[in-house]
Amino acid sequence: MSRPKIALIGAGQIGGTLAHLVGLKELGDVVLFDIAEGTPQGKALDIAESSPVDGFDAAMSGANDYSAIAGADVCIVTAGVPRKPGMSRDDLLGINLKVMKSVGEGIAAHAPDAFVICITNPLDAMVWALQKFSGLPKEKVVGMAGVLDSARFRYFLAEEFKVSIKDVSAFVLGGHGDTMVPLTRYSTVAGIPLPDLVEMGWSTQDKIDAIVQRTRDGGAEIVGLLKTGSAFYAPAASAVSMAESYLKDQKRVLPCAAFVDGAYGLDGFYVGVPTVIGAAGIEKVVEIKLDKAEKAMLDKSIDAVKGLVEACKGIDPSLN
Ligand code: APR
């Protein structure tokens, strides 16, 4: 049986890290695609030259022509521009929407059976546009945001409680932006929900509130430190976990920007929700019970995403 083929559309900071991780995990053969000549070829060769050291078997190649992604099983999209200090993810909308058009058309022409994971920001609007431009089935086009946001939340909680990250699980809903909804009630240390941990005196509400805010600002914190771009290690790791769940039919429960039709009162809209990812793509959207305050926060987040989608339609009328 041949190895799965993984096409990485965009060979920048995240694209290169994705290729390295896919190699180290032996998830399949990698094609890096980019409009910049030499970048995908150079990164592919560099990573391939590390394979004898780390002992992984995965073919690595770089290309500037979409024909190279032919028949890919998974496409991970990072093509576009990242933000600089002072920019919000939404500031990237106009430029990256045009990029999604060419990427969507390239995938439709050469890899129409792929499971497509979008990382390009502003995420919720870009994954919506990518699905429209590519015309691929909605359960096969998904956005990476929740895995990253909940990983940040988990990391900060593990630091606060001084426990292993392995024993912390966390829940984040909504759009990948300032309105994201970290749900403390569904976030636990060894199965104990955060509100109970506060009651037990292991932390304080103020500290949890500060962690929630730091999670919301997690991307901006990295942009502020790097100054020349945005986060790439954690976003790449997050997307790889989604690709792995699809390729190995793991049926992991992962929060993703998925097309939601019916659940959460939505009628056909991309937003961050818990999903099950298996061989069929998004196999299930998990609808959890929300209290009034949580529902209000989610509604606010959905409104923010709707605003971005409307802005996309204004820029490109073919999306209407
Ligand atoms: N087609 C293919 N590749 C493109 C296109 C295009 N139309 N336009 C730009 N690119 C490539 C660039 O040449 C660059 O190599 O996309 C790559 C983006 O890489 P970086 O600038 O290093 O950005 P990165 O940090 O990888 O982030 C990419 O993910 O998290 C989001 O906000 C982030 O939107 C940004 C994206």
Side-chain angles (χ1 to χ4, degrees):
M1 219 196 330
S2 59
R3 293 196 283 253
K5 177 168 173 176
I6 299 165
L8 307 175
I9 318 289
Q13 296 282 50
I14 302 179
T17 310
L18 283 168
H20 197 198
L21 286 176
V22 167
L24 289 171
K25 287 178 163 257
E26 289 193 325
L27 286 186
D29 292 339
V30 172
V31 176
L32 276 155
F33 170 91
D34 204 289
I35 46 166
E37 282 178 26
T39 304
Q41 292 86 352
K43 291 198 177 184
L45 182 59
D46 191 13
I47 295 167
E49 288 169 355
S50 79
S51 66
V53 182
D54 282 312
F56 62 80
D57 287 304
M60 296 275 157
S61 61
N64 303 112
D65 191 308
Y66 271 107
S67 59
I69 74 163
D73 299 288
V74 171
C75 294
I76 307 181
V77 178
T78 60
V81 292
R83 56 184 167 149
K84 302 261 162 35
M87 287 172 91
S88 78
R89 292 185 181 93
D90 302 356
D91 293 334
L92 306 172
L93 189 96
I95 307 170
N96 286 350
L97 185 65
K98 284 201 195 87
V99 176
M100 289 307 101
K101 187 169 165 62
S102 62
V103 173
E105 289 167 358
I107 292 175
H110 299 283
D113 297 324
F115 180 57
V116 179
I117 302 169
C118 181
I119 305 184
T120 302
N121 276 313
L123 192 269
D124 306 271
M126 291 302 103
V127 66
W128 169 83
L130 186 62
Q131 191 281 324
K132 284 251 184 188
F133 287 133
S134 67
L136 263 62
K138 297 182 177 84
E139 68 278 10
K140 298 287 282 292
V141 182
V142 58
M144 188 297 295
V147 177
L148 171 62
D149 295 330
S150 57
R152 286 178 173 149
F153 197 14
R154 285 174 67 194
Y155 172 69
F156 300 147
L157 289 170
E159 270 197 316
E160 162 62 12
F161 288 96
K162 298 190 176 46
V163 297
S164 165
I165 46 100
K166 294 191 182 100
D167 296 318
V168 180
S169 72
F171 222 114
V172 174
L173 276 180
H176 186 49
D178 307 333
T179 58
M180 77 174 79
V181 188
L183 286 181
T184 52
R185 225 157 44 94
Y186 288 103
S187 303
T188 70
V189 173
I192 310 165
L194 290 183
D196 295 18
L197 291 160
V198 170
E199 244 174 63
M200 287 157 60
W202 201 349
S203 184
T204 64
Q205 192 57 48
D206 282 353
K207 284 185 178 165
I208 300 296
D209 290 345
I211 288 174
V212 164
Q213 195 52 45
R214 190 175 177 197
T215 302
R216 286 206 179 101
D217 298 336
E221 185 176 359
I222 304 277
V223 172
L225 290 166
L226 294 180
K227 295 181 187 73
T228 52
S230 51
F232 52 101
Y233 293 112
S238 302
V240 165
S241 72
M242 293 164 65
E244 186 172 21
S245 190
Y246 171 75
L247 289 167
K248 297 183 179 170
D249 194 22
Q250 289 173 328
K251 304 198 190 295
R252 292 199 57 196
V253 183
L254 297 172
C256 303
F259 185 79
V260 186
D261 198 8
Y264 297 100
L266 287 168
D267 56 346
F269 202 68
Y270 269 94
V271 74
V273 288
T275 66
V276 176
I277 298 183
I282 296 293
E283 298 189 346
K284 189 177 169 67
V285 167
V286 183
E287 186 172 16
I288 52 167
K289 251 191 168 169
L290 300 176
D291 65 25
K292 246 188 163 172
E294 292 161 349
K295 178 86 176 61
M297 280 194 284
L298 180 62
D299 286 345
K300 191 172 157 213
S301 187
I302 289 167
D303 281 346
V305 178
K306 279 190 174 155
L308 291 177
V309 164
E310 287 311 312
C312 289
K313 289 179 182 169
I315 296 169
D316 188 333
S318 77
L319 288 166
N320 280 289

